[in-house]
Amino acid sequence: MLAYRERDYSSSMAASASLSKQQLTALIEDTKDYQITHGSLLKVVNTNTEENVALTRAIPVSLSPTRFSRHLFEEAKGLQKIFNRLYMRVASDEEFLHRILKPPIDNDTFKKTLWNIHIAARKTGRVQDVSLKTLRSDYMIHRDEGVDVNGNLKKLQLKQVEFNTFSVAGVYMRTWLRICTSICVKLELTELGGLTFAHNMYKSQDLSRRSGILFIVQHNNFNICDEQPLEYVLWNQEPPIPTYRLNFCDVLDHVSLGPSRELLYTSSSCPFKPLEILVVYFRAGYQPEEYDKKGIAARILLEISRAIQCPSILSHLTTFKKVQQELAMPGVLERLLPQEECDYLRATFAPLYPSDASELGLQARALTMDLGKAASYVLKPSLEGGGNNVYDADIPDFLELVPEERWDQFTLMKMINSPSHDGMLMSSDGIYEGPTISELGIFGVCLWRREVRGGGHEILDNMEIGWSFKTKPEDVGEMSVVKGYGFLDSPSGRGEYQRK
Amino acid sequence: MLAYRERDYSSSMAASASLSKQQLTALIEDTKDYQITHGSLLKVVNTNTEENVALTRAIPVSLSPTRFSRHLFEEAKGLQKIFNRLYMRVASDEEFLHRILKPPIDNDTFKKTLWNIHIAARKTGRVQDVSLKTLRSDYMIHRDEGVDVNGNLKKLQLKQVEFNTFSVAGVYMRTWLRICTSICVKLELTELGGLTFAHNMYKSQDLSRRSGILFIVQHNNFNICDEQPLEYVLWNQEPPIPTYRLNFCDVLDHVSLGPSRELLYTSSSCPFKPLEILVVYFRAGYQPEEYDKKGIAARILLEISRAIQCPSILSHLTTFKKVQQELAMPGVLERLLPQEECDYLRATFAPLYPSDASELGLQARALTMDLGKAASYVLKPSLEGGGNNVYDADIPDFLELVPEERWDQFTLMKMINSPSHDGMLMSSDGIYEGPTISELGIFGVCLWRREVRGGGHEILDNMEIGWSFKTKPEDVGEMSVVKGYGFLDSPSGRGEYQRK
C-alpha cells in the first residue's frame, strides 16, 4: 500500500539507515497525506454524532519497509492452498471437529454456544451445502538459537503464528478486488462445472426479486477501511452486485426466511420489498458477548437459510486454537493430507501444547509453572483474534488466578525467536524508533460443497489471494493494528513483493 | 463521486422528497464512511504536528443529487473547447492582453506584480514557447423573470459565473487520470506530430538525468485530496512519472537553471543529484501575499526556464475578471473567433460592467449607487478565486469605503437568477435542509505553442476533461467548498451524467 512513498524514498533508505531531519519530515508528511487520500484511517468513534462528520486518525504504519526473506515469503504463499484444503477438510468432518473441540467445550462457554448453534441447525436440517471461507495464515521468521556444526547461525525458518478462519481482517483493496471477482461475482454471474451457480443454488427462487450480499457487521465499527472497500467494488461491478450492511444485533429485525428458506432481507433504506440474500459475509459474531439470546437465534436463522455462509458455523469452529494445536499433534495431519504436503506444513509449526490433563498437557503444565522455561512461551486462550495472550514470565502468575479445571481452555506455544530489524513506526501516539519484529499474513479463499453424510467434500475453488505485512516494536506482545500494537508495513528484500 | 450511495438510495429519493428517520441515519453514516474510505477529507491543520498524525474532517457534501438540466449540462460541455481556444488566443496575444489589463494595472498591485514578472521574463528571453493550461468554466442556470408571450415561465439558460485559468481546483480522481494520461504522459512518452515531445523540447538536455514534474504548492495545505491524487497516478504509471512537491516559498532554495536553462530541482529527500523538471504545475502563487521579493524572483526563474509552465505567466494574467469583462464587450469576441462560435459563447455571458471611467463604467457606477438596482448585482474584485465578492445591497456601502480611483479594480455583474431546489447538505457544522442553488464547472486542458513574434499560436491539444458540481444554501453568496460555503454534489435529471 505504500508504493508511492517507497518509490520516492527507497533509494535513500536502501543507502542509509538514518534519514536527515529534512528527509524524515518530508517522509512523515507524505505518509500522512497518502493515508488520508487513500482511506487508511480509523474513525475516532467518540466524535461521531448524527449531526457531525466523524473525525478520523491514520492507521499506524511503518515509515520504512522492513526486511523479510523473499524466499520464505514465497514459501508462505506456496503453502496457502494446502492450508485451505486442510481446513475445508476439517470443517467438513463434523465428527473429527467434535472430537478435537469436545474436551474444552464443557468448560468454554463460547465454543459451547457455537457448537450448540451447529447442533440446532443440524436438527432443523440445512438446505445449503456450499460453504465459502476467507482465511489468513500468519507467520513470523524464526531462527533456532545457537550455531550449526560449522559455527554459522542456524537457518531462518517460517513459523506459523496462527490460522484465522473467521472475519479475517487486513485485506486491502487489491485483495478485495480479487476476492470479489473470484467468488462473489462467480457465484452470481459465471458458470462453474457447466451450471450457473446462483441458478443452481436458487432454482426455487423468484428470479425477479432483487438479490445481494449481506455484510453482518458490528455496530459503530471504527475500522471501516478494512470492510467497506469490498462493498464499493461490488456495487461498482457492471451490473452492480448489491451489498447491504446489517448490525449483528439487528439481524432478527430485518431478516426472515421464505418458503424455500430463501434468506429475505428488509432494508431500512427501502422498506417495501424484501431482497434475497445469496451470501452472508460475517465481520461480526466473533466475540462471546455478541451471542446473547438474540445473537444465538440470529446465527441459527442465517445458518439454516439457503444463503451461502462465509463462513458456516462449522468453519467458524475451526478457528479455535485447539484445532491448530490438534493438527500439530503427531500423525494427525497425515490422516488428512498426502505425506509430502504434511511435511511442508509441519515444518512451519511451532511446538504447541495443550494444557489439559493429557500426558502432553501435564508436560505443558510443568513447563508453564517453571518460571525459567515459561520465559520463551506464550499462553493463548482458545479465542479467535489477538489481544488475549499471556507472555513469558507472566504465565505462572496468570494461571495461579485461573481455576485448574479451566486450564484446558488454553494452548501453550513455544515463542518464535524472530530476528529483529531497526525500524521507524508512526501512529497517533508518536514515532517509535528501534528494534522491530514483523509478521506476514497470507490470505486464502475457498468455496466447497460439504457432503452432509460421510464427512466428504468437493472443492469448488481454492485460492491464495494476497498478503499483509505488519510490524511491531520488539518488546510488544500483540500485533493487532487497530488496537494500536502493530503497524502496517511493506516487506523489502531482493526482488519485488508483488501484490496480486 | 457518490455513485455508490446513489445506487442505494436513488429509488427512494426519486420517489419521495422526504426520507424516513431510519433512511436518513443510514444515508448519513454511509456518506461519512464513503468519504473516509475515498479520501474526501480536509486536514484539521491545527492538529497536525510532526509527532502526530493529523485529524481530518469530511468535505461538505450534498446528501442527495440535485436537479440540473441535462440539456444545459451537455451545452456547457460542448462549449469548453471553444473557451479553451479563446483563452489560448488571449494568452498568446500579449498586446491585446496588455490593452485589456492596462488601465487597472496602475491601481492593482497584484496585476502589476504579475505583469512585471512577464516583462522581466521577456527581457531575459524565453526558451520555452510551449504552454500548458488547466481551465474551469463555471455556470449556473438562469431564468429571466416574468413570463413569455404565451404566459409560460421563460426558458432556462446557461450563464457563465466565471472562468478560471490558474490553479484550478475541484478536479477529482477520474479527471486527474484523464489529465495525466492526456498531457503529462504524452509530453514525456508519446509522439505528437511525428516528434517525441520531450525530446523535441529538451534536445540539449542530459538524457541520463532523472526528470519529473514539479508541483508548486502552498505550505500546510489542508485540501490535499484535490492535488495529491494526480501525483499518485503519475507515480503509478509504468514507467513511473516522478513528481515532486515544493512549497512556493522554498523554490529559490531548491531550484536552479542549467547551462541550457534546464530547470534543475534538488530534492530534500535525495539531495545529491539534481533532477530535471519538465513541467511546472502551479497549485500556489494565486494570492498577492505570496509575491514578496522571493516569490517574485522564484516565479521569474521558473518562467524563464526550459520547463513547460502550467500555466505560464501570460496565461495566469488571463484569469482576471477584467479579461472576462472585456470579452463580453460588443465586438471583442468577434475579433478572436468565428461568428458562430461567438454566438454560442455570448449566449452564456451575464451582463458585465467595468467600474472605471468609461461610458459603460459610469453607467455601472450609477447602477451600483442605486440601492434598488444594485439589489440584483454582484461586485467582483479582479482576483482569481472566490471569497471576495460583494452582493446586492451591500455594494453601495462597500464602495463608500473604497477610494473612487480604485473602483476600476472591480467588475459589476448582473446576478444570475437561478431556480432553487430543495436539498440536504452535510458538513462538520451539521445538516442544512432547505432551498439550494447549484453550480456546474467544466474542466478543460490545452497545450499550445506560442509564437513569440506576432501573437499567433499553434494548438497542440485541446480537450474538455470532466466536470464538477457544487451546491449551496440559496441565501449564501460564495460557492467555495473548502471555505465551507459550498457542498460537493451530483446532478440528477433525465439520462446519465457520465464522468469521462
Side-chain angles (χ1 to χ4, degrees):
Chain A
M1 66 157 292
L2 302 174
Y4 163 67
R5 66 182 179 84
E6 272 172 46
R7 285 190 214 268
D8 210 6
Y9 296 94
S10 54
S11 55
S12 52
M13 285 204 284
S16 147
S18 67
L19 299 172
S20 73
K21 173 83 186 151
Q22 260 188 322
Q23 284 177 307
L24 182 61
T25 305
L27 177 59
I28 289 171
E29 286 308 311
D30 277 3
T31 304
K32 288 182 198 175
D33 287 355
Y34 187 93
Q35 292 193 278
I36 292 168
T37 47
H38 288 73
S40 178
L41 299 164
L42 298 171
K43 280 180 168 177
V44 180
V45 173
N46 58 2
T47 70
N48 189 29
T49 67
E50 189 188 308
E51 290 287 303
N52 204 339
V53 175
L55 290 177
T56 60
R57 62 189 167 85
I59 285 182
V61 287
S62 171
L63 285 171
S64 58
T66 303
R67 284 199 72 79
F68 193 91
S69 156
R70 167 87 184 155
H71 166 71
L72 296 181
F73 177 88
E74 291 301 336
E75 183 181 322
K77 279 161 64 95
L79 295 176
Q80 190 60 34
K81 285 170 76 169
I82 308 178
F83 271 119
N84 292 351
R85 220 164 341 103
L86 174 65
Y87 276 81
M88 278 190 271
R89 185 81 198 262
V90 173
S92 304
D93 191 341
E94 186 186 325
E95 264 173 60
F96 179 76
L97 194 56
H98 189 228
R99 184 166 54 73
I100 296 173
L101 297 173
K102 188 158 189 5
I105 283 179
D106 295 330
N107 287 323
D108 183 332
T109 325
F110 188 37
K111 272 202 214 81
K112 205 193 289 183
T113 303
L114 295 183
W115 187 263
N116 287 342
I117 288 170
H118 158 60
I119 297 296
R122 194 177 59 183
K123 270 193 194 141
T124 313
R126 289 183 168 92
V127 293
Q128 182 55 270
D129 53 359
V130 172
S131 274
L132 182 59
K133 174 140 114 168
T134 55
L135 310 147
R136 196 189 69 228
S137 183
D138 292 333
Y139 303 93
M140 284 184 175
I141 285 179
H142 171 76
R143 195 200 295 271
D144 279 330
E145 278 168 29
V147 290
D148 66 15
V149 286
N150 301 317
N152 296 322
L153 285 177
K154 292 194 177 158
K155 262 178 69 177
L156 296 176
Q157 305 167 51
L158 199 64
K159 288 293 175 195
Q160 190 177 51
V161 179
E162 64 180 1
F163 195 84
N164 306 279
T165 73
F166 190 81
S167 188
V168 166
V171 187
Y172 311 122
M173 278 310 273
R174 290 195 208 184
T175 310
W176 279 127
L177 190 60
R178 263 306 284 263
I179 291 189
C180 85
T181 15
S182 303
I183 293 160
C184 306
V185 178
K186 178 179 284 181
L187 280 175
E188 283 221 289
L189 302 174
T190 69
E191 294 204 341
L192 197 67
L195 292 168
T196 302
F197 241 88
H199 189 254
N200 189 35
M201 293 183 293
Y202 295 94
K203 47 196 165 198
S204 65
Q205 83 175 78
D206 172 5
L207 286 169
S208 68
R209 190 184 280 142
R210 204 175 159 199
S211 62
I213 295 174
L214 190 64
F215 281 51
I216 306 290
V217 298
Q218 286 189 332
H219 178 64
N220 234 351
N221 179 18
F222 61 99
N223 182 21
I224 56 161
C225 76
D226 195 55
E227 65 187 41
Q228 291 270 31
L230 177 54
E231 289 196 72
Y232 302 129
V233 170
L234 290 167
W235 274 105
N236 287 322
Q237 297 290 324
E238 282 303 336
I241 298 177
T243 69
Y244 306 95
R245 216 157 61 252
L246 182 59
N247 291 329
F248 189 44
C249 55
D250 297 332
V251 165
L252 292 179
D253 301 333
H254 291 272
V255 158
S256 62
L257 295 185
S260 315
R261 302 256 197 101
E262 308 93 307
L263 189 62
L264 302 177
Y265 167 62
T266 309
S267 148
S268 48
S269 55
C270 184
F272 309 111
K273 257 200 212 162
L275 314 162
E276 178 162 1
I277 297 303
L278 304 184
V279 178
V280 175
Y281 176 60
F282 285 94
R283 291 304 299 254
Y286 52 85
Q287 285 171 323
E289 309 82 76
E290 294 175 277
Y291 290 88
D292 57 5
K293 233 177 181 174
K294 271 180 77 179
I296 291 170
R299 190 76 195 263
I300 293 172
L301 182 71
L302 298 172
E303 181 75 13
I304 63 168
S305 80
R306 186 168 293 277
I308 292 176
Q309 307 292 301
C310 179
S312 68
I313 195 85
L314 281 172
S315 281
H316 189 168
L317 282 160
T318 65
T319 211
F320 288 97
K321 297 285 176 299
K322 282 290 155 198
V323 173
Q324 196 190 353
Q325 175 203 304
E326 174 72 12
L327 292 171
M329 300 291 279
V332 175
L333 274 189
E334 282 73 6
R335 289 202 297 272
L336 299 162
L337 293 173
Q339 186 61 48
E340 191 190 20
E341 294 184 345
C342 295
D343 295 342
Y344 289 144
L345 300 195
R346 196 178 300 284
T348 71
F349 291 168
L352 284 166
Y353 302 92
S355 35
D356 58 17
S358 68
E359 194 186 332
L360 212 58
L362 293 173
Q363 194 185 323
R365 286 194 200 192
L367 280 173
T368 57
M369 296 314 288
D370 175 338
L371 197 73
K373 287 197 179 148
S376 62
Y377 285 84
V378 52
L379 189 71
K380 297 185 167 195
S382 204
L383 278 172
E384 195 275 336
N388 300 293
N389 298 340
V390 184
Y391 291 89
D392 297 341
D394 295 341
I395 297 175
D397 287 351
F398 175 81
L399 284 178
E400 285 274 316
L401 300 172
V402 178
E404 204 168 327
E405 66 273 18
R406 295 190 53 217
W407 281 19
D408 57 7
Q409 290 172 33
F410 299 95
T411 296
L412 190 72
M413 186 173 141
K414 195 156 192 291
M415 288 278 273
I416 294 168
N417 178 39
S418 204
S420 70
H421 296 279
D422 281 338
M424 239 189 320
L425 309 173
M426 177 169 79
S427 76
S428 55
D429 292 333
I431 288 171
Y432 166 86
E433 275 193 83
T436 64
I437 300 288
S438 300
E439 186 179 290
L440 174 69
I442 306 290
F443 294 100
V445 146
C446 38
L447 183 74
W448 77 104
R449 187 189 304 278
R450 203 169 63 90
E451 287 161 21
V452 181
R453 288 171 217 288
H457 65 287
E458 175 197 1
I459 295 176
L460 304 171
D461 219 335
N462 178 13
M463 291 179 295
E464 178 263 301
I465 55 157
W467 49 274
S468 70
F469 191 69
K470 296 181 275 187
T471 295
K472 63 178 173 67
E474 190 182 34
D475 58 357
V476 167
E478 302 293 336
M479 188 58 99
S480 165
V481 172
V482 293
K483 288 180 185 162
Y485 300 112
F487 296 73
L488 297 189
D489 199 358
S490 298
S492 78
R494 285 195 205 98
E496 280 276 302
Y497 290 77
Q498 288 285 1
R499 285 197 193 278
K500 282 207 179 169
Chain B
M1 68 158 290
L2 301 174
Y4 162 67
R5 65 180 181 83
E6 271 173 44
R7 284 189 215 268
D8 211 9
Y9 296 95
S10 54
S11 56
S12 52
M13 285 205 285
S16 148
S18 67
L19 299 173
S20 72
K21 174 80 185 153
Q22 260 187 324
Q23 285 178 308
L24 182 61
T25 305
L27 178 59
I28 289 171
E29 286 308 311
D30 277 3
T31 305
K32 288 181 197 175
D33 287 354
Y34 187 94
Q35 293 193 277
I36 292 168
T37 47
H38 290 73
S40 180
L41 298 164
L42 299 171
K43 279 180 169 178
V44 180
V45 173
N46 58 2
T47 70
N48 190 28
T49 67
E50 189 189 308
E51 290 288 303
N52 204 338
V53 175
L55 290 177
T56 61
R57 61 190 170 83
I59 285 181
V61 287
S62 171
L63 285 173
S64 59
T66 303
R67 284 199 71 81
F68 193 91
S69 156
R70 166 91 183 153
H71 165 71
L72 296 181
F73 177 89
E74 290 301 335
E75 184 181 322
K77 279 161 63 96
L79 295 176
Q80 191 59 37
K81 285 169 75 170
I82 308 177
F83 271 119
N84 292 351
R85 221 166 338 106
L86 174 65
Y87 276 81
M88 278 190 272
R89 186 81 197 263
V90 174
S92 305
D93 192 340
E94 185 185 327
E95 264 174 61
F96 179 77
L97 195 56
H98 190 227
R99 184 167 55 72
I100 295 174
L101 296 174
K102 193 169 183 2
I105 282 180
D106 296 330
N107 287 324
D108 183 331
T109 326
F110 188 37
K111 270 202 216 80
K112 206 193 288 181
T113 303
L114 295 183
W115 187 263
N116 288 342
I117 288 171
H118 158 61
I119 297 298
R122 195 177 58 185
K123 270 194 193 139
T124 313
R126 288 182 171 92
V127 292
Q128 181 56 268
D129 53 359
V130 172
S131 275
L132 182 60
K133 174 139 117 168
T134 56
L135 310 146
R136 196 189 70 227
S137 183
D138 291 333
Y139 303 93
M140 283 184 177
I141 285 178
H142 170 77
R143 195 200 295 273
D144 279 330
E145 279 170 28
V147 291
D148 66 15
V149 285
N150 300 318
N152 297 322
L153 286 176
K154 291 192 178 160
K155 261 176 69 176
L156 296 175
Q157 304 167 52
L158 198 64
K159 288 293 174 195
Q160 190 177 51
V161 180
E162 64 179 1
F163 195 84
N164 306 280
T165 73
F166 190 81
S167 188
V168 166
V171 186
Y172 311 123
M173 277 309 274
R174 289 196 208 182
T175 310
W176 280 128
L177 189 60
R178 261 308 283 264
I179 291 189
C180 84
T181 15
S182 302
I183 292 158
C184 305
V185 179
K186 178 179 283 180
L187 280 174
E188 283 221 288
L189 303 174
T190 68
E191 293 204 341
L192 196 67
L195 292 167
T196 302
F197 240 88
H199 188 253
N200 189 35
M201 293 182 294
Y202 295 93
K203 44 196 166 198
S204 66
Q205 83 175 78
D206 171 5
L207 285 170
S208 68
R209 192 185 280 142
R210 205 174 158 199
S211 62
I213 296 174
L214 190 63
F215 282 52
I216 305 290
V217 298
Q218 287 190 331
H219 178 63
N220 234 350
N221 179 18
F222 62 99
N223 181 21
I224 56 162
C225 76
D226 195 54
E227 64 188 41
Q228 291 270 31
L230 178 53
E231 291 196 70
Y232 303 130
V233 170
L234 291 167
W235 274 104
N236 286 321
Q237 297 289 323
E238 283 302 338
I241 299 177
T243 69
Y244 306 95
R245 215 158 62 253
L246 181 59
N247 291 329
F248 189 45
C249 55
D250 297 331
V251 165
L252 293 180
D253 301 332
H254 291 273
V255 157
S256 62
L257 295 184
S260 315
R261 301 256 198 104
E262 308 94 307
L263 189 62
L264 302 178
Y265 167 63
T266 308
S267 149
S268 48
S269 54
C270 183
F272 309 111
K273 257 200 211 162
L275 314 162
E276 177 160 1
I277 298 303
L278 304 184
V279 178
V280 175
Y281 176 59
F282 285 95
R283 291 303 300 254
Y286 52 86
Q287 286 171 322
E289 309 83 76
E290 294 174 277
Y291 291 88
D292 56 6
K293 233 177 183 173
K294 273 180 76 179
I296 291 170
R299 189 75 195 262
I300 293 172
L301 183 71
L302 298 172
E303 180 76 13
I304 62 168
S305 79
R306 184 169 294 278
I308 293 177
Q309 307 292 299
C310 178
S312 68
I313 195 84
L314 281 171
S315 280
H316 190 168
L317 282 159
T318 65
T319 211
F320 288 97
K321 297 285 176 300
K322 282 288 156 200
V323 174
Q324 196 189 354
Q325 175 204 306
E326 174 72 12
L327 291 171
M329 300 291 278
V332 175
L333 273 189
E334 283 72 8
R335 290 202 296 272
L336 299 162
L337 293 173
Q339 186 60 47
E340 192 190 19
E341 292 184 345
C342 296
D343 295 342
Y344 289 144
L345 300 195
R346 196 178 301 284
T348 70
F349 293 168
L352 283 166
Y353 302 91
S355 34
D356 59 17
S358 68
E359 192 185 333
L360 212 58
L362 293 173
Q363 193 183 324
R365 286 195 199 191
L367 278 174
T368 57
M369 295 314 288
D370 176 337
L371 197 70
K373 288 196 180 152
S376 62
Y377 284 84
V378 52
L379 189 72
K380 297 186 169 197
S382 205
L383 277 172
E384 195 275 336
N388 301 292
N389 297 340
V390 184
Y391 292 90
D392 297 340
D394 295 341
I395 297 174
D397 288 350
F398 175 82
L399 284 178
E400 285 274 316
L401 300 173
V402 177
E404 206 169 325
E405 65 272 19
R406 295 191 52 217
W407 281 18
D408 58 7
Q409 290 173 34
F410 299 95
T411 296
L412 190 72
M413 186 173 140
K414 195 155 191 291
M415 287 278 273
I416 295 169
N417 177 39
S418 203
S420 70
H421 296 279
D422 281 337
M424 241 191 317
L425 308 174
M426 177 170 79
S427 75
S428 54
D429 292 334
I431 288 171
Y432 166 86
E433 275 193 83
T436 64
I437 300 288
S438 301
E439 186 178 290
L440 175 69
I442 306 290
F443 295 100
V445 146
C446 36
L447 183 73
W448 77 104
R449 187 189 304 278
R450 204 168 63 90
E451 287 161 21
V452 180
R453 289 171 215 289
H457 64 288
E458 176 197 0
I459 295 176
L460 303 172
D461 218 335
N462 177 13
M463 291 180 295
E464 178 263 302
I465 53 156
W467 49 274
S468 70
F469 191 69
K470 295 183 274 188
T471 295
K472 63 178 173 68
E474 189 182 35
D475 59 356
V476 168
E478 304 293 337
M479 188 57 98
S480 166
V481 172
V482 292
K483 287 178 186 162
Y485 299 112
F487 296 73
L488 297 189
D489 198 358
S490 300
S492 78
R494 284 194 207 99
E496 280 276 300
Y497 291 76
Q498 288 285 1
R499 285 196 193 279
K500 281 206 177 166

